């Protein structure tokens, strides 16, 4: 049975008069991988630094393994928190070999135990053949794995990763995200990372906190963030989509320009009690996979933009009344801009927000 390894309860952090983190809470279970995801300046790295003990908090508490390590009057130093850290720039020691970098934090162990642990981690991260090389002789991906091995060497209770793949190209970033997740899972490591890249977050994390202006807007699985966003910010930040105006017909039906949507309606941001005249008008979130290309459909839309993505093409379509939607279509169906194509609705998750005043 899992137990909470990390708990942040209503923490606040300020730089002078500027509040950077405000009333933020989250819980990470033992063995879970969490992620703080958000745009630059949202406060996610500051949260990581507070967890690590590098920044104080002015309210709330941070509890690690049942111990209160930070509150308004107490801050346990980083070296006493049993936390590992992988920095954005890896921070490897250039004058030390790969093996010596990994060995650096093992000074409390005997020489033989240190050697065993270093060899074990070299195998775990797949770098046994470069143990004697120096950081400048390695690729970016290899340096990242050395930094990970060094952080894992002392067997920390919690691993913190600060934008760990930001210096790598896209294809390497995606591959290493999967590799790192497998390593952390195999080693049963509890970890929390910070990133602005949602694909990275999806590949690595069990739970993701979408942040904006110092607050977690939603702490959830990737699936729920995409299909059940709690507000417009999360809906806009996660994935792609557009809003079409709609009218609530009943508790399970909404009418939009393309037809009537039926099913369980996730009426985010609306009053749950009854249907007043004010909340009948809503904005409905439509994802690219909700709009299906169908030559036989009487519904027609004009292609106004297309983005080729290899196996698929993302079309931007203008509807008869001027609204626009996105549609993800197999790239075998290659239509020119300006052409009309048939479309139909296939919506499984009906997400509606109150219209902005």
């Amino acid at each position: 049975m899992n137990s909470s390894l990390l708990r942040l309860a209503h923490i606040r952090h300020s730089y002078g008069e500027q509040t950077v983190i405000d009333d933020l809470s989250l819980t990470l279970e033992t063995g879970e991988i969490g992620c703080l995801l958000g745009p630059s300046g949202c406060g996610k790295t500051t949260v990581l630094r507070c967890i690590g003990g590098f920044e104080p908090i002015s309210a709330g508490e941070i509890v690690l393994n049942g111990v209160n390590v930070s509150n308004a009057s107490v801050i346990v130093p980083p070296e006493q928190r049993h936390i590992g850290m992988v920095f954005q720039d890896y921070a490897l020691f250039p004058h030390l070999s790969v093996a010596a970098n990994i060995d650096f934090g093992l000074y409390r162990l005997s020489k033989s135990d240190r050697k065993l642990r270093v060899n074990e981690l070299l195998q775990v991260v797949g770098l046994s053949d470069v143990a004697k090389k120096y950081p400048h002789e390695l690729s970016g991906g290899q340096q990242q794995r050395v930094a990970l091995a060094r952080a894992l060497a002392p067997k920390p209770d919690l691993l913190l990763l600060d934008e760990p793949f930001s210096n790598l190209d896209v294809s390497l970033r995606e591959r290493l995200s999967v590799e790192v997740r497998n390593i952390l899972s195999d080693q049963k490591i509890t970890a929390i990372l910070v990133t602005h890249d949602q694909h990275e977050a999806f590949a690595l994390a069990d739970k993701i906190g979408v942040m904006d202006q110092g607050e977690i807007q939603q702490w959830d699985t990737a699936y729920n963030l995409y299909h059940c966003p709690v507000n417009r910010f999360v809906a806009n930040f996660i994935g792609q989509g557009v809003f079409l105006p709609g009218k609530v017909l009943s508790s399970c039906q909404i009418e939009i320009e393309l037809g009537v949507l039926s099913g369980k309606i996730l009426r985010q941001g609306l009053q749950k009690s009854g249907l007043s005249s004010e909340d009948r008008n809503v904005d409905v979130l439509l994802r690219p996979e909700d709009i299906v290309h169908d030559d036989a459909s009487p519904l027609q839309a004009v292609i106004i933009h297309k983005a080729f993505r290899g196996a698929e093409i993302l079309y931007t379509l203008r509807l008869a009344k001027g609204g626009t939607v996105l549609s993800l279509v197999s790239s075998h169906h290659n239509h020119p801009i300006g052409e009309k194509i048939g479309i139909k609705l296939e919506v499984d998750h009906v997400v509606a927000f109150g219209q902005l005043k």
Side-chain angles (χ1 to χ4, degrees):
M1 183 177 175
N2 282 350
S3 58
S4 297
L5 185 130
L6 175 69
R7 182 170 62 86
L8 276 60
H10 310 288
I11 70 165
R12 181 178 296 114
H13 174 82
S14 302
Y15 291 115
E17 297 295 312
Q18 183 186 5
T19 299
V20 181
I21 308 298
D22 189 24
D23 196 29
L24 184 143
S25 300
L26 65 84
T27 300
L28 198 63
E29 305 301 321
T30 300
E32 248 186 347
I33 302 173
C35 174
L36 297 174
L37 172 67
S40 298
C42 70
K44 56 189 185 293
T45 295
T46 302
V47 175
L48 207 69
R49 290 179 60 79
C50 289
I51 295 169
F54 303 105
E55 298 283 354
I57 58 175
S58 56
E61 62 180 13
I62 298 174
V63 179
L64 181 62
N65 247 345
V67 177
N68 193 325
V69 294
S70 283
N71 58 41
S73 56
V74 173
I75 180 167
V76 174
E79 63 273 14
Q80 295 178 24
R81 297 192 179 204
H82 211 227
I83 284 176
M85 187 96 184
V86 178
F87 297 96
Q88 189 171 344
D89 60 358
Y90 314 139
L92 299 177
F93 300 110
H95 61 290
L96 297 181
S97 68
V98 167
N101 262 282
I102 297 171
D103 178 67
F104 183 78
L106 299 177
Y107 53 88
R108 290 188 178 90
L109 300 182
S110 67
K111 189 174 181 180
S112 60
D113 285 344
R114 289 170 71 161
K115 187 175 181 180
L116 279 173
R117 181 64 175 154
V118 170
N119 287 337
E120 176 193 354
L121 283 164
L122 283 167
Q123 283 191 312
V124 166
V125 299
L127 294 176
S128 297
D129 57 337
V130 295
K132 295 181 180 179
K133 290 191 174 184
Y134 290 85
H136 73 274
E137 299 176 287
L138 306 178
S139 68
Q142 289 173 320
Q143 289 183 39
Q144 195 272 342
R145 280 183 280 167
V146 175
L148 178 63
R150 186 181 62 183
L152 292 176
K155 299 183 178 178
D157 293 329
L158 177 67
L159 184 67
L160 306 179
L161 301 104
D162 184 11
E163 300 268 9
F165 310 109
S166 61
N167 295 327
L168 306 175
D169 63 63
V170 173
S171 61
L172 182 58
R173 190 182 308 168
E174 290 178 356
R175 180 167 61 81
L176 277 174
S177 295
V178 176
E179 284 184 18
V180 168
R181 177 174 174 83
N182 290 338
I183 290 169
L184 296 180
S185 297
D186 290 345
Q187 298 288 304
K188 296 179 173 59
I189 296 293
T190 308
I192 187 163
L193 76 142
V194 156
T195 183
H196 63 274
D197 185 325
Q198 59 186 274
H199 300 295
E200 200 171 289
F202 290 176
L204 263 163
D206 301 303
K207 290 283 183 65
I208 300 167
V210 178
M211 287 192 63
D212 181 43
Q213 297 181 349
E215 300 178 6
I216 290 181
Q217 302 296 312
Q218 187 170 350
W219 176 255
D220 218 325
T221 62
Y223 183 91
N224 285 340
L225 292 174
Y226 186 84
H227 289 295
C228 310
V230 300
N231 58 33
R232 286 174 183 267
F233 180 84
V234 176
N236 283 319
F237 191 79
I238 298 293
Q240 289 179 291
V242 297
F243 292 103
L244 277 187
K247 179 164 283 191
V248 176
L249 303 179
S250 70
S251 61
C252 60
Q253 286 190 317
I254 295 180
E255 184 178 28
I256 61 175
E257 179 180 348
L258 294 171
V260 176
L261 302 175
S262 298
K264 183 181 178 183
I265 298 172
L266 303 169
R267 303 180 66 229
Q268 315 289 24
L270 300 176
Q271 296 298 320
K272 293 181 180 178
S273 55
L275 295 172
S276 68
S277 58
E278 287 84 14
D279 67 15
R280 282 186 179 275
N281 296 318
V282 295
D283 288 329
V284 178
L285 175 65
L286 293 177
R287 298 292 194 186
E289 64 273 20
D290 295 331
I291 308 297
V292 177
H293 179 23
D294 181 7
D295 287 327
S297 174
L299 275 175
Q300 299 279 304
V302 179
I303 298 170
I304 58 174
H305 187 265
K306 59 191 288 191
F308 185 76
R309 296 186 172 182
E312 297 161 322
I313 298 174
L314 181 67
Y315 287 109
T316 304
L317 307 171
R318 180 181 292 120
L319 304 177
K321 294 183 180 178
T324 60
V325 292
L326 301 174
S327 182
L328 204 55
V329 178
S330 166
S331 62
H332 295 302
H333 300 277
N334 184 22
H335 300 279
I337 292 173
E339 183 178 326
K340 277 189 177 182
I341 61 171
I343 57 171
K344 65 179 180 181
L345 281 170
E346 285 189 6
V347 181
D348 287 332
H349 298 81
V350 184
V351 180
F353 296 90
Q355 288 188 345
L356 296 174
K357 303 299 181 185

